[in-house]
Amino acid sequence: MDIEQKQAELIDHFVNQASTLKASAIWPLIIEATSHPSLFAFSEILSTPTVSELEGTENSLCLDVLRLFAHGTWSDYKSNAGRLPQLVPDQVLKLKQLTVLTLAEMNKVLPYDQLMQELDVANVRELEDFLINECMYAGIVRGKLDQLRRCFEVQFAAGRDLRPGQLGNMLETLSNWLATSDNLLVSIQEKIKWADSTSELDKKHQKDVEDRVEEVKKSLF
Amino acid sequence: TTSTDTSFLSDAIFHYDEAAQTKFQQEKPWSNDPNYFRRVKISALALLKMVVHARSGGTIEVMGLMQGKTDGDTIIVMDAFALPVEGTETRVNAQADAYEYMVDYSQTNKQAGRLENAVGWYHSHPGYGCWLSGIDVSTQMLNQQFQEPFLAVVIDPTRTVSAGKVEIGAFRTYPEGYKPPDDPVSEYQTIPLNKIEDFGVHCKQYYSLDITYFKSSLDCHLLDLLWNKYWVNTLSSSPLLGNGDYVAGQISDLAEKLEHAESQLAHSRLGPLMAPQRKKDEESQLAKITRDSAKITVEQVHGLMSQVIKDILFNSVRQ
Amino acid sequence: ENSLLRQVSSLLRRLPAIESEKFQDDFLMEYNDTLLIAYLAMFTNC
């Protein structure tokens, strides 16, 4: 939520700019957006009419780059490097940060080896520096670096832009969660009722026993 | 009433009328009635500070002073501050070590515009309940001789965690030799075996006051802001894990009490020769043990319930 | 609203909160221990 608050203004700024610029002048804006150190979300810019109209035109590569940053990873760029324009260092950094977010979506415990492979990092020290300086300090992930087990335990990762088809999964998960919570509440209510009725029965039984004791005492006297 | 009116009314309690307080001090209505003060109102700020201080002491008793005013038969505690002393149950007058600090603090307060005087002292009984020991009673009697009106508050930070609510008691002692007309009716609480004598000998020398709480409109706003943080802390913690030592101590104490009761029951084979009153005392001893064991069990079951509920809510949902 | 969707996505990724065999073992052990204590306490009560 902090990340969203931080980048809300930036998103508005870039969306406004994208709305006013012509298609031919959009590329510098896309470079600026994808290089910005505090911006990790691009679906709003993608959905502006100026940008979405780039599909199938001579500037469609700009759209592809923006889509890469919205949904893709560093590996995706490497496998399409021939087709896509060269990225500037800031864009490379941004893409690697977004790659960490994608990996954190799939697993909570990320082995160092996997991270080093995905991020093209030579050694553990460099990887840890990257995770600490570029990811944790940027506020996009929170977690623990376990040097003994050589893994990164992710406690929190900022959300990336949704891929097509992801919404269905999310809705299903939320429905399941809601159903579980509702069932739990019903169970708790039932247990409360059971506890109350058992307590009433118990009190009644105790009173009956005491009355019986009094009766017997009186009859003895 | 508008929300502004309501907040004005709730904040009015914070106004300090020096003339009225001075007049009250001169009249001394408590000198004719040992039970004059019946109620205590503690501010949210004072309560938080006292509980946090008590909890920070761990298993060591800590103490502090409370500042406030009076309003008829009510002592109002506006604020509290910690004193640099520890282990208050081991010495006759632990406060003596902190006199200089108390005087400095009070003077600085007045200079800063805080006009309230000291209206009481608080200390902690980690894990053994809210009551006054022999040392506490003599300390409070001394305070009530020279510093009236004065209140004694006891907080149990360990039981606060295990019970999930603040364990706190406010007390005032009777004058030396005074016999109260009726036996004070107080809520039952478990007393460990090693403290039971100290508790029993002095329990009739003081009475407890009803405690209520109040907060300012700013306190309300700040507490609302902290609501989420409070829930994160509550959900992240577990009394089963955090209070393990205390529970082990409780169970051990229960076992000792059972042995004690068992040995007394063994002697009662003299049955018919024993006075009926003594038999009744033993039954109530067993009844107390039963109640203590039920309380320990219930707290454990509560802790387990919260763990199970958290597991269902947060661990059973998958993508 | 994309911002809300991203936040929801981030939240759902955090579930389940803990998922490991060691946690299950510890949790079930704690569960059993507490139920055993409650059972013993019932006996003592009786």
Side-chain angles (χ1 to χ4, degrees), chain B residues 240-241 258 290 293 297 300-301 304 307-308 311 314-315 317-319, chain C residues 12-13 15-19 23 27 30-31 34-35 38 41 44-45:
Chain B
L240 289 181
L241 301 169
L258 264 175
T290 317
S293 105
T297 318
Q300 289 301 291
V301 170
L304 182 65
Q307 294 288 78
V308 169
D311 185 54
F314 300 115
N315 286 345
V317 180
R318 278 168 184 79
Q319 293 282 337
Chain C
L12 292 179
R13 301 275 174 244
L15 301 175
I18 304 175
E19 192 178 31
F23 169 74
F27 179 69
E30 192 183 17
Y31 201 149
T34 312
L35 289 179
T44 315
N45 228 17

Side-chain angles (χ1 to χ4, degrees), chain C:
Chain C
E1 194 182 320
N2 288 301
S3 166
L4 189 61
L5 286 173
R6 286 190 291 267
Q7 286 176 58
V8 171
S9 164
S10 166
L11 177 66
L12 292 179
R13 301 275 174 244
R14 299 181 78 171
L15 301 175
I18 304 175
E19 192 178 31
S20 78
E21 216 176 289
K22 177 138 195 339
F23 169 74
Q24 277 302 317
D25 289 344
D26 287 350
F27 179 69
L28 287 172
M29 203 176 319
E30 192 183 17
Y31 201 149
N32 289 331
D33 285 349
T34 312
L35 289 179
L36 180 65
I37 297 287
Y39 201 31
L40 287 172
M42 265 309 282
F43 281 130
T44 315
N45 228 17
C46 293

Side-chain angles (χ1 to χ4, degrees), chain A residues 186-199:
Chain A
V186 166
S187 302
I188 292 172
Q189 293 277 48
E190 281 171 12
K191 291 289 176 227
I192 291 172
K193 273 191 201 143
W194 172 84
D196 284 340
S197 59
T198 309
S199 163

Side-chain angles (χ1 to χ4, degrees), chain A residues 174-186:
Chain A
L174 279 171
S175 303
N176 288 343
W177 201 9
L178 182 63
T180 308
S181 309
D182 283 339
N183 290 340
L184 181 64
L185 280 171
V186 166

Side-chain angles (χ1 to χ4, degrees), chain B residues 87-132:
Chain B
T88 53
E89 300 296 319
T90 54
R91 297 173 281 172
V92 172
N93 190 6
Q95 270 179 353
D97 289 354
Y99 281 149
E100 203 180 320
Y101 181 89
M102 277 191 259
V103 165
D104 281 345
Y105 193 97
S106 301
Q107 281 176 347
T108 319
N109 253 282
K110 294 267 186 313
Q111 286 167 8
R114 291 291 298 272
L115 303 172
E116 289 96 5
N117 292 318
V119 288
W121 66 299
Y122 70 91
H123 68 288
S124 63
H125 280 182
Y128 53 97
C130 299
W131 44 281
L132 291 183

Side-chain angles (χ1 to χ4, degrees), chain A:
Chain A
M1 280 176 222
D2 292 338
I3 277 288
E4 292 299 329
Q5 279 167 357
K6 272 190 215 169
Q7 62 186 8
E9 267 187 44
L10 283 168
I11 291 171
D12 285 340
H13 163 74
F14 283 113
V15 163
N16 288 336
Q17 291 246 288
S19 308
T20 52
L21 286 174
K22 288 202 181 108
S24 51
I26 209 93
W27 179 233
L29 181 74
I30 288 176
I31 295 179
E32 196 192 337
T34 51
S35 311
H36 199 289
S38 302
L39 183 64
F40 297 93
F42 306 96
S43 38
E44 287 89 344
I45 305 172
L46 265 173
S47 44
T48 51
T50 326
V51 172
S52 45
E53 278 162 12
L54 293 173
E55 184 81 57
T57 67
E58 58 192 3
N59 293 314
S60 63
L61 274 178
C62 308
L63 189 60
D64 291 341
V65 166
L66 202 56
R67 280 190 185 135
L68 175 74
F69 277 80
H71 309 127
T73 62
W74 175 245
S75 304
D76 294 336
Y77 171 72
K78 280 193 305 187
S79 50
N80 282 309
R83 203 176 59 83
L84 293 169
Q86 180 98 7
L87 297 181
V88 301
D90 283 344
Q91 285 178 304
V92 171
L93 171 64
K94 170 74 58 210
L95 196 51
K96 288 185 177 179
Q97 287 172 311
L98 293 166
T99 305
V100 172
L101 292 183
T102 300
L103 292 171
E105 276 179 17
M106 293 181 281
N107 285 311
K108 276 193 174 172
V109 178
L110 300 172
Y112 277 4
D113 293 330
Q114 185 192 9
L115 282 166
M116 287 196 294
Q117 194 189 347
E118 290 284 336
L119 300 172
D120 271 346
V121 166
N123 56 51
V124 167
R125 182 57 192 261
E126 223 178 287
L127 173 69
E128 286 178 346
D129 283 345
F130 174 79
L131 287 172
I132 293 169
N133 295 329
E134 309 301 346
C135 299
M136 292 194 205
Y137 283 175
I140 57 172
V141 287
R142 279 198 298 273
K144 212 160 68 162
L145 293 167
D146 191 337
Q147 285 185 330
L148 187 65
R149 287 166 54 220
R150 288 171 55 89
C151 63
F152 176 40
E153 293 169 10
V154 181
Q155 289 157 5
F156 159 81
R160 282 194 76 174
D161 295 305
L162 259 59
R163 284 186 294 282
Q166 233 182 326
L167 190 60
N169 273 345
M170 267 173 53
L171 284 171
E172 203 182 320
T173 309
L174 279 171
S175 303
N176 288 343
W177 201 9
L178 182 63
T180 308
S181 309
D182 283 339
N183 290 340
L184 181 64
L185 280 171
V186 166
S187 302
I188 292 172
Q189 293 277 48
E190 281 171 12
K191 291 289 176 227
I192 291 172
K193 273 191 201 143
W194 172 84
D196 284 340
S197 59
T198 309
S199 163
E200 287 299 321
L201 281 170
D202 196 53
K203 275 185 199 154
K204 188 174 171 297
H205 175 68
Q206 205 171 354
K207 191 172 176 308
D208 289 344
V209 164
E210 278 167 11
D211 290 345
R212 187 97 175 91
V213 163
E214 287 301 317
E215 259 180 60
V216 167
K217 273 186 187 170
K218 278 181 193 161
S219 68
L220 278 176
F221 278 129

